[in-house]
Amino acid sequence: MLVDRAFAVTVTPLAQAPTQLDAFDGVILGTPVSLRRDGPTAAVLEWIDRAEGLDEKKVALFSAFWLRPGTALPVLRARLAELGVEVVVEFAYWLGKPEDGDHVLPAECMVRIR
């Protein structure tokens, strides 16, 4: 949806995601929520710690879950708050039945990240 609205979007797996963020206006960061552990993945937390300039960006968070959203988003929000990062929106997506046109995250990003 963001690309359709003429936003430049770079989608990358976390393992290949840049940690130097000067070229970006905002960051959308997602984490899966596993059946065994309900928080964010260790890789997401490690990337946050390595990201340079994250405190100068507006950040949107999402999680993807099967059974329940768990604590992933509150844990991420708290960790980012410790670093002085502004979280502008967060949303938990249920993978069991994604809604067509479910555009909460991109719509909020269009308004809050420029």
Side-chain angles (χ1 to χ4, degrees):
M1 182 176 182
L2 290 171
V3 172
D4 291 343
R5 302 292 194 281
F7 282 77
V9 176
T10 302
V11 178
T12 182
L14 192 60
Q16 299 163 357
T19 55
Q20 182 54 257
L21 304 174
D22 291 343
F24 301 95
D25 292 326
V27 175
I28 301 172
L29 187 59
T31 185
V33 176
S34 75
L35 299 176
R36 294 181 300 248
R37 191 174 54 78
D38 67 356
T41 65
V44 170
L45 295 172
E46 290 167 10
W47 183 87
I48 288 170
D49 290 338
R50 290 190 328 268
E52 297 178 28
L54 191 59
D55 60 334
E56 300 169 2
K57 307 299 173 193
K58 294 182 179 180
V59 176
L61 301 174
F62 73 93
S63 64
F65 68 95
W66 278 106
L67 292 180
R68 59 190 177 92
T71 62
L73 294 177
V75 168
L76 284 175
R77 180 181 278 279
R79 178 68 186 119
L80 291 166
E82 290 172 6
L83 299 172
V85 176
E86 180 184 1
V87 175
V88 295
V89 63
E90 60 185 64
F91 194 78
Y93 289 98
W94 181 45
L95 295 173
K97 185 181 176 195
E99 299 291 326
D100 285 338
D102 196 353
H103 58 275
V104 171
L105 194 72
E108 289 293 322
C109 288
M110 284 188 282
V111 171
R112 301 178 191 282
I113 299 176
R114 297 216 177 254

